[in-house]
Structures are given as C-alpha cells and as structure tokens.
Amino acid sequence: QVRLVESGGGFVQVGGSLRLSCLASEFTLDNYRVGWFRTRPGKDREGVAAISVSDGSTYYVDSVKGRAIISADNVKTTVYLQISSLKPEDTADYICAAERAGVDSSLRDFLIRGQGRPWVMNYWGKGTLVTVSS
C-alpha cells in the first residue's frame, strides 16, 4: 500500500533528543518534497522542517532552527527529523507529508501549503506522538 508511516515518537525528558522517521511504503521520495508538521495541544498544525529529497536542500522554522536536522537516507525511502534540546513546547503529534516535486516554490511555501491547504499534499502519514516532560 502506498503510504507514509511515521515512527520514533514517545516520552522524552526536557533537554533530551529523539529521531523521528517517515518511511515511504512502496514508493521512493527522490522526486518529492517532504515536510514534518506538528499539532501541539490546543494549537493548529504547523510546519516544522522540510527537505527537497532530490537535492538535499532544507528549511527549518525558527522554533526548531539550530535544534533540528532533517535528512533522507541514501535509498530515498525514509526522511528523518532529529530534534535535540527538547522543550515541553515540542510536545505534539508529529506528521510527515510529501508533495511531488515540480511545483515552483520554496520549501517555506511548501510548509505553508501543508499548514493551510493539506489536500494539496500527495501523501500524509498518520503521525507519531512526542511528549516532552520534566
């Protein structure tokens, strides 16, 4: 079945780190932009980080810049999001989404589209929950 599957969420202490995975099942991501989004308790979905898998370019929002690394594996089937120095406000349901490359826009615009018009993404995962506690 063609889909995205997230993993790697769980409970982590403040200041800790974790790595989330977004696996493309039955397709490869080399012609896609992939973004990580999160929905924090009581908040709207927000884009966190994005990668153009074909050329490796990346974009991060200010709230995770310097603490997060988004990357893809060599076979272009998995995109990772590693976040360190975790804060309680990082507690959220983290979801990945993929959009087929070809849309002439920046990765920042790609995240904005995912926030406001989720139906334009080609694939969404179901999410993985991250809870940061002190």
Side-chain angles (χ1 to χ4, degrees), residues 56-69:
S57 57
T58 59
Y59 175 82
Y60 303 91
V61 297
D62 287 345
S63 59
V64 300
K65 194 174 294 182
R67 301 190 295 124
I69 300 173

Side-chain angles (χ1 to χ4, degrees), residues 22-76:
C22 173
L23 170 68
S25 176
E26 299 192 11
F27 71 109
T28 60
L29 296 167
D30 45 349
N31 291 317
Y32 287 84
R33 295 184 177 95
V34 178
W36 280 97
F37 299 80
R38 67 184 181 186
T39 305
R40 294 185 283 176
K43 304 284 187 180
D44 293 331
R45 180 190 296 117
E46 61 179 342
V48 175
I51 185 169
S52 173
V53 177
S54 61
D55 64 15
S57 57
T58 59
Y59 175 82
Y60 303 91
V61 297
D62 287 345
S63 59
V64 300
K65 194 174 294 182
R67 301 190 295 124
I69 300 173
I70 187 169
S71 61
D73 67 356
N74 290 337
V75 294
K76 315 296 187 189

